[in-house]
Amino acid sequence: MQENDKTGPVQDDEAKKRLRGDLRSNREEAREMEPSGEDQPEPFRDPQALRTGGTPAGMTPRDVELRSEIAQYLGRHLYPTGREEVLDALRAEHAPDRLVEMARGLPADARFRNVQELAQGLGLHTETRRS
């Protein structure tokens, strides 16, 4: 049984000849960032830079990053919780040792209703409330 192709062997050979140089060179074109529009800010090119744009009042960028990282490992299902449950959950989720060490410093008898209270128990700054 013959398969239907949109191109025949002659067209395939011509396409191979046209692409042969590109296939042999195995090079990629350098990709430059396009310039910003007139009404747009210049893009920041360092992907490793600390992000500070969304830092709430009363918190440092480090506080935001740590609270976010802790929340990722603990999830929402854990609350209300205490120190031992936090430690168990961090270990079960293979959290970094630095987070486990921080959690060891939590008061043994304290209960935390959410990640905000947990962050405060860890000594992190939290958002200042508007009155």
Side-chain angles (χ1 to χ4, degrees):
M1 177 160 90
Q2 184 178 3
E3 293 183 25
N4 291 333
D5 287 337
K6 292 188 177 190
T7 61
V10 174
Q11 289 89 355
D12 288 343
D13 290 340
E14 288 175 7
K16 286 178 187 176
K17 287 178 186 175
R18 282 194 310 267
L19 296 173
R20 185 173 294 145
D22 291 338
L23 294 172
R24 283 187 184 164
S25 66
N26 196 21
R27 63 188 151 130
E28 291 185 26
E29 295 179 19
R31 297 188 180 177
E32 296 285 326
M33 288 181 67
E34 292 186 19
S36 298
E38 293 177 10
D39 61 338
Q40 298 174 344
E42 191 66 28
F44 194 66
R45 297 179 185 251
D46 184 6
Q48 300 298 323
L50 185 62
R51 290 168 257 159
T52 58
T55 305
M59 295 182 75
T60 66
R62 180 182 176 273
D63 293 331
V64 173
E65 292 287 333
L66 281 172
R67 184 180 69 179
S68 177
E69 190 175 9
I70 290 165
Q72 288 175 349
Y73 284 104
L74 297 181
R76 294 182 180 180
H77 65 280
L78 189 66
Y79 301 99
T81 190
R83 181 180 75 180
E84 293 308 314
E85 292 93 347
V86 169
L87 287 168
D88 291 342
L90 289 173
R91 289 182 191 119
E93 293 296 323
H94 305 288
D97 291 339
R98 61 186 170 75
L99 294 181
V100 175
E101 287 301 316
M102 285 178 66
R104 282 191 182 125
L106 289 168
D109 58 343
R111 298 293 292 170
F112 307 100
R113 293 180 295 166
N114 53 41
V115 71
Q116 185 83 352
E117 289 182 4
L118 180 62
Q120 289 171 343
L122 292 169
L124 301 177
H125 297 99
T126 56
E127 293 102 335
T128 54
R129 300 276 183 206
R130 295 181 188 169
S131 37

